[in-house]
Each structure stands twice: as C-alpha cells, then as structure tokens.
C-alpha cells in the first residue's frame, strides 16, 4: 500500500544531471575502483502538514468488522455474484477463474486425508478477505461522506453506488489491486486540494561547486498564504512608543492551539530589514506564558526614529508578527 509519510512528500521535476559521485575538485564522475554509478542523491522535498494528516486519515481503514452503517450507500448486497468480472462492477480484469473448494481424495492404503482442514482453512481465509473488503468499503464511504470527496468513481466506473464483484474479494491479487486503486485515488483527491499551495519556481544544482564529491541542489519555492486565517501570534499594538531613558515592553497575544517555543525570540530591526537573523539590532528570548518581552533603556537608539519589533518563531524559523516602534527623545 501507499506509505502516508513518504506519499505526502512533493518534489519538482528533475532537469539537472546526477549530483553524485564526483572526483574531488573536478566535474568528472567517480573514477575510483568502486566506479559508482552517477545518481541523484541530493534532493529538495517538501510536504504540507494538513495534507499529510488528511492522507494519513484517508489510508486508515479500521478493523475487519463487517457490520454496515444504515446511513451509508454500501451494503452486503453491493457484492455481486452475477456482475461480469470485467465490467463496470470490477476493479481490475479477472486473471483466473474462481476455483471450487474440493476435498482431496484419500490416499491408497486408507491413510487419512487433511482435505477437510485445507478446505476449512481456505474458507477462513476467504471470509477474512471478505470482512476486510467490506470494512474497507465502509471506511471509504465514511471518508467520502465526511470530506465530500468522491474518489471511487474511477475505481468502479460508477457515479454513486459502489459495486464490487466477488472475485475482488476472494482473489487475493484482485483484492490487493482494488485496495491499491482506492488508496491511489484517495491520495490523488487529497493532493488536488493542495496542488496550488506550494509552487516550485526553480530547481537546479550548483555545477560550479567542486569542493565535495556532491553537487548541492537549490530550490526556490513559492508558498501560498491564506490571508483569511487569523494570525497565531500578534502584537497588542501596531505602534509602541519608546522614550529615551525608559525600557521598552512589547506585549503580544497567542491564539489557542498555537504553540510558543522555548527558543522563540523578539528583536528590534531597522524599518527596512529583510532578514531578522541578519538585521536585528537587539533581541530577547520570550518567557513562556508571559506574553511580553522587555528591552533595556540602553538599547534605545538615542534619537527619534522608527524601528520595527519582530517576533520570530523557532519552530517555523520565520518571523510571524511585526509592529512599529516609535523612538522618542
């Protein structure tokens, strides 16, 4: 099946040559005794937390309980005895005909035969597959009902009611194929919701880099931001006043379910700053649960000007809140 962790990663199309392994200080691939085959060992992957969570949920089928909910569109009657295996009710073409369960003939000499046990074992196996498939179908319908995403149309060829041939249940290969088909469509449906969330503007290697047996890879990503969402951390004022000789206390609010990191920090920057990590004038780490950061009077610039106070999230490694600071003398 599809791995929810790795299946949620994205990567842009690779259009650069293999980045490993080079002879040091050259552009020549490995000429040592090992003579390694060139490979793309250096990659840039990304994933979206909400997308990964939805994919994980979509691939959780639950137990083998075969009971069906009355308000769902799936029932035991949807498992067809008569529908053509290769028709719209089938997930994949039938590979083999169904085999009847037969008892083995007793061996000559009157030796006992274990045919009954083998047949019972087969029946148990088929019943397990049947229960598993019905549980899969129920969970699939529940997920579609909760999310409003219809992802079974391609798998079944039907618009609403989901039907499946018994061959899909009793044949392990067909069952596995049907399961894989549904999983792929589930993941594709989730991914389509987030396809415009991150765009890769460029993805290339640094061919001029020769200090290593690897070539570094760089990617420029454009991340969409939903401006309708409330900010997780905000300063309590758009503009703080700071008189010379006084300390400056900046206060901020933290929304529910937003985690404040122990290494979050607040800094003062010039108004034309672009990178808080490089352009800060002074910074202080936040005190958990306090909601404020205090800067000493000695940090005042000593003249009238406008600075900006920036809250930097250690978890996101990015600024998440900004406000002005009017310095007075």
């Amino acid at each position: 099946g599809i791995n929810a962790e790795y299946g949620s990663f994205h990567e842009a199309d690779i259009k650069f040559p293999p980045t490993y392994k080079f002879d040091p200080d050259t552009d020549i691939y490995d000429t040592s005794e090992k003579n390694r085959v060139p490979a793309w060992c250096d990659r840039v992957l990304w994933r979206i937390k909400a997308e990964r969570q939805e994919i994980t949920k979509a691939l959780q089928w639950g137990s083998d309980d075969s009971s069906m909910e009355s308000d769902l569109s799936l029932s035991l009657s949807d498992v067809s005895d008569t529908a053509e295996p290769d028709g719209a009710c089938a997930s994949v073409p039938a590979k083999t005909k169904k085999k009847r369960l037969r008892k083995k003939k007793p061996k000559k000499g009157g030796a006992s035969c274990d045919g009954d046990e083998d047949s019972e074992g087969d029946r148990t196996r088929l019943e397990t597959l049947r229960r598993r498939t019905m549980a899969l179908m129920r969970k699939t319908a529940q997920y579609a009902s909760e999310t409003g995403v219809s992802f079974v149309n391609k798998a079944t060829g039907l618009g609403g009611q989901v039907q499946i041939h018994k061959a899909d249940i009793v044949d392990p290969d067909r069952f596995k194929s049907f399961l894989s088909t549904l999983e792929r469509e589930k993941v594709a449906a989730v991914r389509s919701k987030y396809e415009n969330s991150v765009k890769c503007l460029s993805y290339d290697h640094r061919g001029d880099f020769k200090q290593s047996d690897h070539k570094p890879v760089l990617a420029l990503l454009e991340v969409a931001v939903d401006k309708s969402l409330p900010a997780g951390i905000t300063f309590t004022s758009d503009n703080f006043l700071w008189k010379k000789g006084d300390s400056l206390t900046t206060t901020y609010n933290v929304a529910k379910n937003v985690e404040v990191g122990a290494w979050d920090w607040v800094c003062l920057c010039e108004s034309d700053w672009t990178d808080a990590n490089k352009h800060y004038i002074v910074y202080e780490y936040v005190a958990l649960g306090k909601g404020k950061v205090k800067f000493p009077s000695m940090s005042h610039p000593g003249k009238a000007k406008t600075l900006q106070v920036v809250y930097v999230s250690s978890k996101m490694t990015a600024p998440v809140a900004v406000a002005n600071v009017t310095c007075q003398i």
Side-chain angles (χ1 to χ4, degrees), residues 14-15 29 39 80 88 102 110 113 124 137 143 157 174 209 225 230 239 241 253 266 270 319:
I14 297 177
K15 298 180 180 179
Y29 288 110
S80 172
R102 298 178 178 177
C113 176
T124 301
M137 294 170 71
Y143 180 78
R174 288 174 65 102
F209 189 87
V225 177
N239 184 51
L241 296 179
N253 293 323
V266 176
E270 298 288 350

Side-chain angles (χ1 to χ4, degrees), residues 154-170:
K154 294 180 182 178
T156 62
L158 302 175
Q161 192 82 349
V162 177
Q163 292 183 328
I164 181 172
H165 193 269
K166 271 190 175 179
D168 285 316
I169 300 177
V170 300

Side-chain angles (χ1 to χ4, degrees), residues 209-255:
F209 189 87
K210 299 180 181 180
Q211 291 90 329
S212 169
D213 54 4
H214 289 259
K215 299 292 186 183
V217 172
L218 304 176
L220 178 62
L221 304 179
E222 180 181 82
V223 181
V225 177
D226 187 351
K227 296 182 179 180
S228 65
L229 295 176
I233 297 176
T234 56
F235 286 106
T236 57
S237 174
D238 293 331
N239 184 51
F240 293 96
L241 296 179
W242 191 11
K243 293 183 178 181
K244 184 179 179 180
D246 295 340
S247 59
L248 170 66
T249 299
T250 58
T251 54
Y252 56 88
N253 293 323
V254 181

Side-chain angles (χ1 to χ4, degrees), residues 312-324:
V312 181
S313 168
S314 57
K315 184 175 182 180
M316 298 179 64
T317 62
V320 295
V322 179
N324 289 325

Side-chain angles (χ1 to χ4, degrees), residues 17 31 58 67-68 72 79 122 132 145 152 190 196 202 209 219 246 280 287 297 304 322-323:
T31 59
S67 62
M68 308 303 295
L72 300 178
V79 182
D122 286 341
R132 187 180 302 165
S145 175
V152 295
V190 174
N196 295 321
S202 65
F209 189 87
D246 295 340
Y280 69 86
S297 59
V322 179

Side-chain angles (χ1 to χ4, degrees), residues 140-153:
T140 297
Q142 288 176 336
Y143 180 78
S145 175
E146 293 172 0
T147 62
V149 177
S150 177
F151 45 79
V152 295
N153 294 344

Side-chain angles (χ1 to χ4, degrees), residues 4-301:
E5 289 297 318
Y6 294 102
S8 60
F9 278 99
H10 298 265
E11 182 181 19
D13 294 335
I14 297 177
K15 298 180 180 179
F16 49 84
T19 59
Y20 178 83
K21 178 180 190 298
F22 291 89
D23 290 340
D25 301 320
T26 72
D27 289 323
I28 302 173
Y29 288 110
D30 186 26
T31 59
S32 67
E33 294 180 357
K34 294 184 178 180
N35 195 26
R36 296 176 178 85
V37 177
W40 288 269
C41 295
D42 306 276
R43 316 282 278 271
V44 176
L45 307 177
W46 71 88
R47 69 181 178 187
I48 303 168
K49 183 178 180 180
E51 180 186 47
R52 178 177 64 85
Q53 291 173 339
E54 285 195 37
I55 290 177
T56 300
K57 181 180 179 181
L59 299 181
Q60 290 176 345
W61 302 110
S63 66
D64 286 343
D65 183 11
S66 60
S67 62
M68 308 303 295
E69 300 292 340
S70 59
D71 59 339
L72 300 178
S73 61
L74 297 171
S75 65
L76 290 173
S77 63
D78 295 321
V79 182
S80 172
D81 282 311
T82 58
E84 290 295 328
D86 296 329
C89 297
S91 59
V92 293
K95 296 180 180 179
T96 59
K97 296 181 179 179
K98 289 194 291 183
K99 296 181 179 179
R100 294 182 180 179
L101 302 178
R102 298 178 178 177
K103 296 183 180 180
K104 294 181 180 180
K105 294 182 178 180
K107 295 180 180 180
K108 293 182 178 181
S112 61
C113 176
D114 59 356
D116 290 336
E117 294 181 3
D118 289 343
S119 297
E120 182 63 29
D122 286 341
R123 282 191 290 269
T124 301
R125 177 178 61 82
L126 298 183
E127 174 62 17
T128 299
L129 288 175
R130 184 190 70 80
R131 289 165 56 86
R132 187 180 302 165
T133 300
M134 297 312 300
L136 177 152
M137 294 170 71
R138 186 180 74 257
K139 292 294 183 181
T140 297
Q142 288 176 336
Y143 180 78
S145 175
E146 293 172 0
T147 62
V149 177
S150 177
F151 45 79
V152 295
N153 294 344
K154 294 180 182 178
T156 62
L158 302 175
Q161 192 82 349
V162 177
Q163 292 183 328
I164 181 172
H165 193 269
K166 271 190 175 179
D168 285 316
I169 300 177
V170 300
D171 187 321
D173 290 334
R174 288 174 65 102
F175 174 78
K176 184 177 180 180
S177 178
F178 183 76
L179 174 63
S180 297
T181 300
L182 285 181
E183 286 186 340
R184 285 195 299 271
E185 291 195 15
K186 281 168 169 278
V187 172
V190 174
R191 284 196 167 201
S192 66
K193 295 173 55 179
Y194 297 92
E195 60 183 354
N196 295 321
S197 297
V198 178
K199 293 182 180 180
C200 186
L201 304 181
S202 65
Y203 189 32
D204 204 352
H205 75 310
R206 284 284 303 274
D208 59 329
F209 189 87
K210 299 180 181 180
Q211 291 90 329
S212 169
D213 54 4
H214 289 259
K215 299 292 186 183
V217 172
L218 304 176
L220 178 62
L221 304 179
E222 180 181 82
V223 181
V225 177
D226 187 351
K227 296 182 179 180
S228 65
L229 295 176
I233 297 176
T234 56
F235 286 106
T236 57
S237 174
D238 293 331
N239 184 51
F240 293 96
L241 296 179
W242 191 11
K243 293 183 178 181
K244 184 179 179 180
D246 295 340
S247 59
L248 170 66
T249 299
T250 58
T251 54
Y252 56 88
N253 293 323
V254 181
K256 292 182 179 180
N257 301 323
V258 173
E259 182 180 351
V260 174
W263 295 100
D264 288 5
W265 49 288
V266 176
C267 65
L268 297 176
C269 300
E270 298 288 350
S271 57
D272 60 348
W273 68 277
T274 56
D275 187 340
N277 290 282
K278 296 179 179 179
H279 301 152
Y280 69 86
I281 301 172
V282 61
Y283 72 91
E284 297 286 344
Y285 286 109
V286 303
L288 297 180
K290 297 295 185 180
K292 61 182 179 180
V293 170
K294 188 175 182 179
F295 294 94
S297 59
M298 66 181 68
S299 298
H300 192 283

